[in-house]
Amino acid sequence: RPRMVEKLSPEARAAFLKDRPGWAPVEDRDAVKKSFAFDDFNEAWGFMCRVALAAEKADHHPEWFNVYNRVEITLTTHDAGGLSERDVALAGFIDAAAGQD
Ligand code: HBI
């Protein structure tokens, strides 16, 4: 059964977008998206492994696309029908895992 979780308030959403450079709202969805480029596929895949383990641990999973050294990640909380604190937390982990902190 999906866990109950609240959507972010407008203020929390604005703070999220201000505090986390590169994450941008997605058209026609209450979601955010960010693109990453690594030196090669090996680096991209290692990044995805780190994120995958954190996602499993948090039971909160990204929507992502990978081609060679590029990874595009969209975050939203399906159980909430939009952005939640889980997305804020995962975005922070993702940025750190990409070496952006
Ligand atoms: N990942 N992005 C995202 N959104 C969710 O609502 C979600 C998830 N991973 C697992 C999960 N929910 C669990 O609540 C399952 O029970 C659905």
Side-chain angles (χ1 to χ4, degrees):
R1 263 178 52 75
R3 301 194 312 247
M4 288 315 295
V5 58
E6 292 297 311
K7 282 171 76 165
L8 286 182
S9 67
E11 298 77 18
R13 183 180 281 98
F16 178 14
L17 294 173
K18 185 171 73 66
D19 297 344
R20 293 243 147 259
W23 292 95
V26 171
E27 289 296 307
D28 69 31
R29 284 185 78 187
D30 185 14
V32 291
K33 186 170 188 178
K34 182 169 181 177
S35 297
F36 300 83
F38 298 89
D39 288 345
D40 52 29
F41 175 75
N42 190 291
E43 292 301 314
W45 185 247
F47 163 75
M48 291 177 78
C49 287
R50 291 190 294 280
V51 173
L53 292 177
E56 265 304 276
K57 189 163 174 234
D59 192 26
H60 190 66
H61 304 85
E63 300 172 10
W64 45 7
F65 170 83
N66 159 249
V67 59
Y68 185 57
N69 69 319
R70 289 191 305 110
V71 183
E72 292 172 13
I73 301 181
T74 298
L75 299 178
T76 192
T77 302
H78 305 117
D79 295 346
L83 287 173
S84 75
E85 278 302 328
R86 294 190 221 158
D87 300 302
V88 178
L90 188 55
F93 180 91
I94 287 169
D95 287 344
Q100 294 190 3
D101 264 7

